[in-house]
Amino acid sequence: MPEYQYLSGFGSHFSSEDARFPNALPVGQNSPQKCPHGLYAEQLSGSAFTAPRTENTRSWLYRIRPSVVHQPFKRFEGVAPFLRGTGWEEQHPNPNQMRWNPFDLPAAGSEVDFVAGLHTVCGAGDVRARNGLAVHVYLANCSMKDTAFYNSDGDMLIVPQQGPLDITTEFGRLYVKPNEICVIPQGIRFSVALEGPSRGYILEVYDGHFRLPDLGPIGANGLANPRDFLTPTAHFEDRSVEGYRIVSKFQGALFVATQGHSPFDVVAWHGNYVPYKYDLARFMVINSVSFDHCDPSIFTVLTCPSNRPGTAIADFVIFPPRWSVQEHTFRPPYYHRNCMSEFMGLIFGRYEAKEGGFMPGGASLHSMMTPHGPDHRCFEGASNADLKPERVADGTQAFMFESSLSMAVTRWGEETCQKLDARYYECWQALEKHFHL
């Protein structure tokens, strides 16, 4: 379908025109005295003007009306009451291992769209200081109607778990299925249409943008390859709508303004500050072919670096189907205490280190220095298995949001949702002492 055409590449400088209006992009300059077809030129900046060229992100949009044509913003009262972006002190700190059963979809007969269905599970930092992150889930069952949303606080990496997302953005349209992800950078307006009840996870970062990890000795190829990232092509609508709503998440709160037209009126655009999607099945796995279990960093799809070299505000890591061939090795993930926070989710299947209890649509959080690792059943099985080459994680896709920040759990995450598994700790209690002289 023409509305789902894409441009491939990561970090590229793209140009796109809606095929219905060729030559809509100005030639040789960004802001001519009069733009082609009577369009308005508008720049969307994702970095400071003076950021180094390798980090400078911006796009020029050529639209029917500029974004500034709207009524004043007002607090959007009563919508998404469990959305948080600040005030992480509402609960006492809790260092315990946490695991959530699948989060409930909206009740039958209710209408909850993507924005209203946002629930914050945990997070850290301060949106005003532009340092930190938040982990949300969305639980929705209807499309956004004459409503667009944008996040003033940071980028959103969206991981659908149940149901595809038909996302209209200012840059064009994205169709994102489970086992795909999409990233909507800060400030880009979008609207989500659903085909039925939908659930998924969101990693939001307040500072910087997601980038591909450096490969170091891996070399030039591997992991997530740049050409597999897809950005939509220009696809506009010229639609007058009385009371079209623009919802902004600003400093952790929601605000709404109205205007008389659709904001998706961009006829052409060019730049490198764009929304994009990626199919997790295209990830090229790197793994050990001799002995020992590699660190999970080899499964990093995207990273948002901090100011400390090699340390991320957030990494997005997956555990895809692969061959396991290590010799004389305990093959599942090792027992671990980490200076990072680890939030895990399951899109489908059964995670290899905990085949029981960790279910699609649920999650777990292992906080800084809280020990974790395989449960008793996994340990005993892997310790006594015949170490022949075998497929691991077929029919499964687990992922991890890992952060150098210590995340606090919200009251909704710890109490209100009523999905926290109080017996999670029991999966390790049967581990026996095997020590012998």
Side-chain angles (χ1 to χ4, degrees):
M1 299 173 63
E3 61 265 38
Y4 296 115
Q5 292 180 349
Y6 301 103
L7 306 165
S8 71
F10 188 92
S12 304
H13 290 259
F14 296 111
S15 295
S16 183
E17 299 173 324
D18 191 305
R20 294 168 290 176
F21 279 84
N23 305 314
L25 280 172
V27 176
Q29 65 178 122
N30 295 319
S31 186
Q33 185 179 25
K34 291 187 177 181
C35 292
H37 302 294
L39 298 171
Y40 287 88
E42 179 178 283
Q43 183 175 201
L44 178 61
S45 295
S47 64
F49 295 137
T50 52
R53 182 177 288 269
T54 55
E55 300 172 16
N56 205 299
T57 55
R58 61 88 178 92
S59 287
W60 281 89
L61 311 177
Y62 299 92
R63 57 195 318 146
I64 297 172
R65 298 176 185 84
S67 298
V68 73
V69 184
H70 63 77
Q71 298 298 308
F73 280 98
K74 301 177 181 178
R75 283 296 298 265
F76 204 14
E77 302 292 350
V79 176
F82 301 111
L83 179 65
R84 297 288 182 270
T86 188
W88 303 113
E89 293 77 29
E90 66 178 6
Q91 291 289 97
H92 291 295
N94 185 345
N96 286 301
Q97 302 95 344
M98 294 186 180
R99 182 171 68 190
W100 289 267
N101 294 318
F103 297 103
D104 286 338
L105 290 160
S110 64
E111 288 195 352
V112 180
D113 67 16
F114 178 85
V115 174
L118 292 172
H119 299 71
T120 306
V121 181
C122 55
D126 186 353
V127 292
R128 295 181 179 90
R130 296 299 311 282
N131 180 61
L133 79 164
V135 175
H136 316 281
V137 293
Y138 65 87
L139 308 166
N141 63 358
C142 73
S143 301
M144 295 170 63
K145 300 178 179 67
D146 292 333
T147 301
F149 173 71
Y150 73 95
N151 185 2
S152 301
D153 297 333
D155 290 10
M156 302 180 86
L157 188 158
I158 302 172
V159 185
Q161 186 273 318
Q162 177 176 326
L165 304 180
D166 185 350
I167 304 176
T168 301
T169 78
E170 296 175 90
F171 292 76
R173 297 182 66 184
L174 294 159
Y175 191 77
V176 188
K177 301 174 293 185
N179 212 43
E180 296 180 328
I181 62 166
C182 72
V183 172
I184 310 292
Q186 177 189 13
I188 292 178
R189 297 178 177 188
F190 67 99
S191 184
V192 179
L194 304 180
E195 298 176 3
S198 186
R199 176 173 55 201
Y201 311 83
I202 298 175
L203 172 59
E204 178 187 8
V205 293
Y206 303 152
D207 185 17
H209 303 293
F210 290 104
R211 46 163 280 190
L212 294 174
D214 293 327
L215 296 181
I218 291 174
N221 306 289
L223 308 188
N225 290 308
R227 73 173 189 155
D228 293 325
F229 288 82
L230 301 178
T231 289
T233 57
H235 185 83
F236 79 96
E237 58 183 25
D238 182 10
R239 189 162 64 95
S240 296
V241 183
E242 188 68 29
Y244 196 106
R245 297 187 300 183
I246 305 294
V247 180
S248 170
K249 188 169 86 69
F250 178 75
Q251 296 185 5
L254 292 183
F255 297 82
V256 63
T258 59
Q259 60 187 45
H261 64 280
S262 166
F264 305 120
D265 61 355
V266 177
V267 180
W269 59 266
H270 76 87
N272 64 342
Y273 191 62
V274 295
Y276 54 88
K277 76 168 195 170
Y278 174 73
D279 184 349
L280 301 181
R282 294 184 179 272
F283 187 81
M284 183 190 140
V285 177
I286 302 292
N287 208 352
S288 171
V289 295
S290 55
F291 59 87
D292 282 353
H293 182 97
C294 293
D295 296 334
S297 50
I298 63 167
F299 300 117
T300 303
V301 179
L302 292 168
T303 184
C304 179
S306 73
N307 293 326
R308 287 179 288 165
T311 305
I313 293 293
D315 285 330
F316 173 61
V317 179
I318 63 173
F319 303 98
R322 59 200 182 275
W323 281 97
S324 186
V325 300
Q326 301 95 318
E327 301 170 348
H328 193 60
T329 293
F330 182 76
R331 290 179 176 176
Y334 41 76
Y335 292 99
H336 192 202
R337 291 181 295 162
N338 195 356
C339 63
M340 309 282 275
S341 302
E342 301 180 15
F343 178 94
M344 286 193 64
L346 187 61
I347 301 172
F348 52 79
R350 297 189 301 176
Y351 179 55
E352 60 192 285
K354 294 184 182 67
E355 293 192 355
F358 186 44
M359 293 177 281
S364 69
L365 175 65
H366 300 138
S367 296
M368 286 186 175
M369 294 303 172
T370 294
H372 53 280
D375 60 21
H376 172 257
R377 179 179 175 184
C378 177
F379 176 82
E380 293 296 335
S383 297
N384 298 288
D386 180 12
L387 294 182
K388 58 185 179 181
E390 62 179 337
R391 290 285 295 175
V392 175
D394 276 337
T396 294
Q397 189 62 266
F399 69 87
M400 179 168 65
F401 301 152
E402 185 173 67
S403 175
S404 61
L405 303 181
S406 185
M407 292 193 285
V409 178
T410 62
R411 181 169 294 127
W412 181 85
E414 193 167 357
E415 297 177 6
T416 311
C417 72
Q418 298 185 348
K419 292 298 173 182
L420 197 61
D421 182 0
R423 302 182 62 180
Y424 181 32
Y425 75 97
E426 293 179 2
C427 74
W428 294 289
Q429 299 308 302
L431 288 166
E432 303 173 27
K433 183 174 75 172
H434 294 289
F435 178 77
H436 56 83
L437 297 178

